[in-house]
Amino acid sequence: MKREDYDIYEFGPFRLDPVERVLLREGVAVQLAPKVLDTLVLLVRNSGHTLEKQEMLSALWPDSFVEESSLAQNIFQLRKVLRAPDGRQYIETVSKSGYRFVAEVRLLRGGGRGDAPPARADLRRHAGHGPTPKTLAVLPFKQLNSRTGDDGLLTLGMADAVVVRLSDLRELTVVPTSTVVTYAGRGHDPLTVGRKLGVDVVLDGTMQHSGERVRVTVQLVGVAGGRVLWSGKFDGQFSDLFALQDSISAQVARALALRLAGEGQPGLLRRPTESVEAYQYYVKGRFFWDKRTEATLRKSIEYFRRATELDPDYALAHAGLADSYSLLGEYLFIPPQEAFVRAKAAALRALEIDAGLADAHVSLAEVLFFYERDWEAAEDEFQRAFELNPNHAVARHMYAWFLLTQERSDEAAEEFRRARALDPMSLIYNTAVGMPFYYERQYNRAAKIYRDALEMDQNFTFANYYLGSALLHKGDREEALAEFRKVREDGHVIPQASALIGYTYAVMGRRDAARDELKKLSALSSRRYVSPYNFALVYSGLGEVERVYEWLDRAYREHANWLVFLNIDPGFDHLRSSPRFTRFLERLGFSAARRRQPTAYEDARAFDLS
C-alpha cells in the first residue's frame, strides 16, 4: 500500500501510523503490545464518539470471548503511555457505557493537509486480527514403573514444565497445573477430564524412568470428536530431561498449527535452569506451596532454597521462595517483617535474573500491596505481569484482592471470575468469587457462593471461614459460630478464627465470652505470631474504641498486612463516621475518593466515636 493511500493521525506530541503500526512521541517510537495498539487505533479513528465496551470487545476480539478486564487493562496501559505533564486526559471513561478519545485529532492523508477524522470508522474493519485461541489441558503424566515416591512428583513436574513453556504462547490458553494436579497418580480418561475442564484439546502422556533412561509417550486428543490429533514418543537420558520437555512442547505447538509470534518462540525454547536436580527441588517446592498450610509452606521454602543453592540463577525458584514467604505473611503465620522483607529480596533477585518473568512481578506486587501499601507501584507490577502472561491465574486472583481494597468492586469481580475461568477446579478461586458481594454487604449472595465451594470439598476450611463471616454480618450468629469453630478445629488459622469467634460473642452481647477469646489470643501470642489486627477486631465488637485504636496503631507500626482491608472490613463499620477513623485510613494511604461510606451498624449501638 502506498503512503498516500492511507491516513496518519496526530494528537498532542503523538503521531499514529495504523498501517506501519507505529506510535511516535516527538519522533521517538513508543513500545505498545499489539492489542493495546489496536485499542488506540480504534479509539483515535472514532475520536469524539463514545464506544460501548461490548462494541469494542467485539471489534478487538472478533472470534473470542474476552472479559471486560482485558479491555480495561489496555486502557490502563494507554493512559500511562499518553500521560501528559499538565494532567490532560486523552481517554475519557463514560460511566456505565464505554470510552471516548477526547483529544483533538489531526488527520494527515498521505502526509498532506490536516483534516478532521472521519465521522465514525467501521469497527470490525479496524479490529485486531489473529487466529482463534485454543484451550489446552496438560494432564499429569502417568508413571508406568514406580521406583520411589519422587517419580510421582516427577511426572507431575514433567507436565508442569510443558504447561510453563506453552503458556508463553499468546495464541494458546493453557489450564494451570494446579487445576489438574488432582488427577496425578491415578488413572484418568482424557476425554472426561477435558469435558469437565471445558477445553478444546488435552495432552495426555506416560513416563517410564529406568536408571538413566527416560521414555515419554504423549498424545494430543481433541475433546469434541475424541480423535487423537497427534502422538509422539521421546527417549532420552534423565540428565537431559529438559531436552525432552523442549521437544514435546515444540511438537505440540506445531501439531496445533499455532502461528508462533516472534515474541513467543524464545519463551517456548527458554530453559529456566540447566540443573535437573535443581528443577526437581523446584517441582517439590511448588507441590507443597500449593497446599498452603503453615507446615507445607515451610517445607516448600526448604525445597526452593535447595534449588537456588544448586543454581543461583534459577529465577523461577527465587520467585517460588518469594511466594512462599508472602503466603506465610498473608495468612498471618509469621510476623510481616520476617515474611515480606524476605519475599521482596527473593522477588527482586528473580527480576534481576529475568525481568521478563511474570511470576516474579506478581511476587513483588504482593509485597508492595500487602506490606508496603504502595498502591500505584503494586498495580504497575500486576499490569506488567499481565503484559508478560495474560493468562496468569495467580496474578488475576491477587490483583482482584488489590482492586477490592481500592473500592473497585466491579473490576475485582471480573478478575476473580477470570482467575476461576483459567483454573476452574481451584477451591480458593471458587470461593473468592464471592468476596466482592461480601464487601458490598450482599451477604446472602456471598454465602451462596461459599456454600457452593464447600460442595466441591466440605473440608475446605477457607470457605467455612468466609461463610461464617457472611452469616455473622447478615445476623445468623449461631450459624456463624459453628462455621468459625470448624476453622479453629482445622488448626490452620487459629488466631483469626478465635478473633472472629470473639467478635461474634461481642456483638451478641456475650461480653465475658468475648474477653475469654481475647485471653486465648494473648496466651497464644507467647507461642506464635498473632496479628494486632485480630485484637482490634474483637475490641471493635466490644465497642471499646480506645483499645481498637491502640491495637490498630500496633498493627500500623509492624505493617500488619490485613490493614489493607480496613477500608472495607464490615467489622469496623460502626467507626466509619468518626474523623479519627478517617485520619487513620489516610495514614494507610486511602484517599477520600475511595473510602467506603458508613453503613448502619448491625446492632445500631451508639458508641463514643470522638
Side-chain angles (χ1 to χ4, degrees):
M1 181 184 292
K2 296 179 181 179
R3 179 166 293 280
E4 60 264 29
D5 293 335
Y6 67 89
D7 302 325
I8 296 174
Y9 302 88
E10 287 188 342
F11 46 95
F14 297 94
R15 173 175 286 202
L16 174 64
D17 187 332
V19 173
E20 293 295 329
R21 299 186 62 75
V22 173
L23 176 67
L24 301 176
R25 181 180 189 134
E26 297 179 341
V28 179
V30 178
Q31 296 298 316
L32 290 176
K35 281 296 181 187
V36 178
L37 182 63
D38 290 337
T39 306
L40 178 60
V41 171
L42 187 59
L43 286 165
V44 170
R45 278 179 162 149
N46 294 276
S47 176
H49 297 274
T50 298
L51 297 181
E52 301 288 336
K53 291 180 182 178
Q54 192 54 53
E55 187 179 30
M56 295 181 71
L57 289 170
S58 297
L60 293 165
W61 291 275
D63 301 314
S64 358
F65 174 79
V66 176
E67 297 275 3
E68 283 185 10
S69 56
S70 296
L71 178 60
Q73 287 151 22
N74 287 359
I75 298 296
F76 174 86
Q77 293 300 319
L78 287 174
R79 282 175 171 156
K80 286 180 63 178
V81 168
L82 302 178
R83 189 177 296 162
D86 60 3
R88 179 178 48 196
Q89 290 287 326
Y90 286 89
I91 302 172
E92 181 182 83
T93 299
V94 181
S95 180
K96 298 182 179 179
S97 179
Y99 302 97
R100 179 167 54 234
F101 196 85
V102 294
E104 181 181 351
V105 176
R106 295 178 67 245
L107 177 62
L108 304 179
R109 289 196 170 95
R113 64 184 178 83
D115 201 351
R120 191 165 175 85
D122 177 69
L123 296 181
R124 192 165 295 280
R125 180 167 61 86
H126 298 305
H129 299 285
T132 302
K134 294 180 175 64
T135 52
L136 168 71
V138 182
L139 300 184
F141 291 10
K142 304 181 187 79
Q143 56 187 96
L144 299 184
N145 59 328
S146 178
R147 298 179 309 135
T148 67
D150 287 348
D151 271 359
L153 289 177
L154 181 60
T155 55
L156 178 61
M158 189 73 173
D160 181 65
V162 177
V163 167
V164 170
R165 283 161 168 74
L166 293 176
S167 294
D168 280 334
L169 300 173
R170 299 302 177 93
E171 296 89 345
L172 191 66
T173 299
V174 185
V175 172
T177 308
S178 55
T179 293
V180 298
V181 68
T182 55
Y183 301 104
R186 67 186 200 194
H188 47 251
D189 173 48
L191 289 179
T192 302
V193 177
R195 293 187 186 107
K196 188 173 184 179
L197 298 178
V199 295
D200 299 329
V201 287
V202 170
L203 184 70
D204 191 30
T206 62
M207 185 173 179
Q208 291 175 278
H209 183 192
S210 177
E212 282 300 307
R213 299 293 299 170
V214 178
R215 168 169 288 183
V216 179
T217 303
V218 293
Q219 60 178 8
L220 198 61
V221 182
V223 175
R227 220 164 33 91
V228 175
L229 306 176
W230 166 84
S231 63
K233 186 178 292 183
F234 304 85
D235 291 290
Q237 295 288 325
F238 183 74
S239 58
D240 203 13
L241 192 64
F242 303 133
L244 291 177
Q245 295 168 354
D246 292 342
S247 297
I248 295 169
S249 303
Q251 292 199 38
V252 168
R254 283 195 289 273
L256 290 172
L258 295 173
R259 295 192 330 199
L260 301 184
E263 63 187 71
Q265 289 193 29
L268 182 63
L269 300 176
R270 182 179 63 242
R271 294 183 184 178
T273 182
E274 294 297 329
S275 169
V276 173
E277 190 177 0
Y279 163 72
Q280 288 180 286
Y281 281 131
Y282 172 77
V283 169
K284 292 177 182 178
R286 278 298 177 194
F287 177 80
F288 286 106
W289 171 85
D290 197 50
K291 293 184 179 296
R292 301 188 178 211
T293 69
E294 182 174 3
T296 60
L297 286 171
R298 291 184 183 278
K299 199 169 188 65
S300 72
I301 287 173
E302 293 178 21
Y303 286 124
F304 288 136
R305 277 183 177 158
R306 292 183 192 178
T308 59
E309 288 166 1
L310 288 166
D311 182 357
D313 293 329
Y314 195 173
L316 272 174
H318 287 286
L321 197 58
D323 292 343
S324 294
Y325 276 119
S326 285
L327 281 186
L328 282 173
E330 288 167 28
Y331 293 163
L332 307 183
F333 290 140
I334 64 176
Q337 299 94 329
E338 178 184 347
F340 291 105
V341 170
R342 293 181 179 181
K344 185 175 184 178
L348 290 176
R349 175 62 182 139
L351 289 171
E352 179 185 348
I353 298 166
D354 183 359
L357 182 63
D359 300 62
H361 287 282
V362 179
S363 302
L364 181 57
E366 291 186 57
V367 176
L368 293 167
F369 166 35
F370 281 111
Y371 184 67
E372 298 188 5
R373 299 190 290 269
D374 189 336
W375 315 130
E376 185 174 353
E379 182 148 24
D380 284 346
E381 290 299 323
F382 280 124
Q383 294 298 337
R384 179 58 180 146
F386 297 144
E387 289 174 12
L388 294 165
N389 184 357
N391 296 320
H392 199 301
V394 174
R396 296 286 175 195
H397 176 71
M398 295 310 305
Y399 183 49
W401 284 103
F402 168 83
L403 291 169
L404 279 179
T405 67
Q406 304 301 299
E407 295 279 14
R408 294 158 64 183
S409 293
D410 289 346
E411 294 174 71
E414 287 184 19
E415 294 297 336
F416 278 129
R417 286 194 294 268
R418 188 161 185 177
R420 184 177 63 176
L422 290 166
D423 196 347
M425 302 304 293
S426 166
L427 291 169
I428 191 66
Y429 296 169
N430 277 279
T431 303
V433 290
M435 299 316 299
F437 299 119
Y438 173 76
Y439 284 117
E440 287 295 329
R441 282 46 175 174
Q442 298 180 44
Y443 300 122
N444 285 326
R445 294 184 70 179
K448 181 183 183 306
I449 292 171
Y450 304 147
R451 286 192 172 103
D452 288 344
L454 283 168
E455 285 185 7
M456 295 175 67
D457 185 347
Q458 63 181 357
N459 296 316
F460 187 59
T461 52
F462 284 103
N464 295 116
Y465 179 94
Y466 294 125
L467 175 59
S469 298
L471 293 171
L472 162 64
H473 292 293
K474 83 184 195 74
D476 299 334
R477 293 160 183 163
E478 289 293 349
E479 291 182 49
L481 284 172
E483 297 300 325
F484 295 146
R485 287 175 184 132
K486 292 176 187 175
V487 177
R488 184 154 65 182
E489 288 167 7
D490 183 64
H492 291 155
V493 283
I494 293 174
Q496 295 88 286
S498 292
L500 284 167
I501 289 171
Y503 177 89
T504 306
Y505 282 144
V507 298
M508 292 173 74
R510 298 171 60 181
R511 300 176 68 83
D512 288 342
R515 293 190 188 283
D516 284 342
E517 294 300 324
L518 284 170
K519 291 176 183 176
K520 292 177 184 177
L521 286 173
S522 182
L524 187 62
S525 67
S526 65
R527 304 192 302 274
R528 56 163 296 164
Y529 175 69
V530 178
S531 174
Y533 196 89
N534 289 321
F535 290 93
L537 180 64
V538 181
Y539 281 116
S540 177
L542 289 167
E544 298 183 17
V545 176
E546 289 304 319
R547 300 305 303 273
V548 172
Y549 285 112
E550 174 189 333
W551 285 99
L552 286 180
D553 281 334
R554 291 192 194 183
Y556 180 85
R557 287 195 300 272
E558 70 175 44
H559 286 252
N561 62 289
W562 280 22
L563 275 179
V564 299
F565 298 109
L566 186 64
N567 194 35
I568 54 176
D569 191 339
F572 296 89
D573 275 358
H574 66 96
L575 296 174
R576 296 194 186 282
S577 60
S578 164
R580 185 176 180 182
F581 194 75
T582 297
R583 289 192 297 271
F584 192 88
L585 289 177
E586 288 171 351
R587 286 173 67 191
L588 295 173
F590 291 113
S591 66
R594 287 182 178 172
R595 188 166 306 135
R596 167 168 291 282
Q597 296 302 308
T599 60
Y601 185 52
E602 57 188 0
D603 277 342
R605 292 179 294 174
F607 292 144
D608 177 9
L609 304 177
S610 59

